Amino acid sequence: MSDGTRFIHTSDWQIGMTRHFLDADAQARFNDARLEAIRAIGRVAAEESCDFVVVAGDVFDSNFLHRRTVYATLEAISECEVTFYLLPGNHDALDPSSIYQTPEFGERKPDNVVVLDEPGLVEVSPGVQVIAAPLLTRKPLTDLLADAIAKAGIEGGGKSGIRIGVAHGQLDSLVPDEANPALISLASAEQNVRDGLLDYVALGDRHSTLDAGETGRIWYSGTPEPTDYVEDDSGNILVVELDGSKCRVEKRHTGTWSFIRREFPIDGADDLRVVDDWLESFSQKDRKILKLAFRGTVSIREEAELGEILDRASDLFAAVEDWDRESDLAVRPDDDDFSDLGLSGFAKDALDRLVAEASTGGTDLDDPSRAARDALGLLYRLARSGT
Ligand SMILES: [Mn+2]
């Protein structure tokens, strides 16, 4: 009988996730990083002499992935020396279309993979049990952790050994949304911990790491590779040690990608240098996804320069997105924007008309002055590249 164990808690691998702002090359690197995370987990498990790994849901981003992706996932796990217990989450629910029931998964499933495909108790190592709460449908209608505990029939009785709850979904304390019947009750999870029915609760669904509630034994691991801008602490796994009455949880950073949002005030050429320096300051740019907003007023010349800076960045970084909602950049033609371009004749006439039109203000997409400013920006870049 065991009174101690060490294991890895991870979740939300989202293998196969696609992001619309990544081009084909960047998407391929993003996919690779998610597979590399599995190998990183295997290395940490070996270093820390972990007994097993629990993946608390959303191993796969979808039930409909190319079999190449399924193969690659299972290959990566098979290279690790511990057993991985995979819980179906909402993205990879154990419904009739489940990826876990496809021939490609079944035929290539290595010996060190166990799918937690039924609610209830599973012995994962001598004296250590998991209470699994798999999603059998994308949108469950009850608190599946509470259901799994009820099904396991452990309430009231004493226990020997160690018991770990594994579930996927939001805690009611985090999403006060009474309309969602599937929220996991934090109060009852904490009560089960205090009563000694559960020694630890491994949760998935939130992509940021979180120590939930007061017990120090109920955690979201977060995703091992970031998936979005809104995550405040993603790219981690947890090494959990349960020993007698003690619980120690150590966060280990595994993420190699980052999502970064940033807003810049722009009011002249110096501010453009700030943007350029900030972009240059990053290492591993090909694993950084940026969303940028600019506020202020620029001349046509400065707008064109900003365009060049961003064009270059978009070929250096994994992606550079426009943060439209937060952007408010007014473009004002200055007389000296075009004086050194040496335009004459009909080009000069067109230039003068565009400048007059552009000066009428208006920022709506269909405003003629905006079209005139865009045309001026293009003229500026074309004329400059021709000189
Ligand atoms: Mn997820």
Side-chain angles (χ1 to χ4, degrees), residues 12 14 57-58 90-91 168 205-207:
D12 298 275
Q14 314 295 146
D58 287 3
N90 60 312
H91 281 260
H168 184 90
D205 200 27
R206 267 181 64 91
H207 289 195

Side-chain angles (χ1 to χ4, degrees), residues 7 18 30 46 65 89 221-223 225 235 270 302 307 318 334 367 370:
F7 62 97
T18 56
F30 188 79
L65 297 175
S221 60
T223 177
E225 271 292 351
D270 288 351
E302 287 158 0
D334 280 350
D367 189 285
R370 176 163 173 158

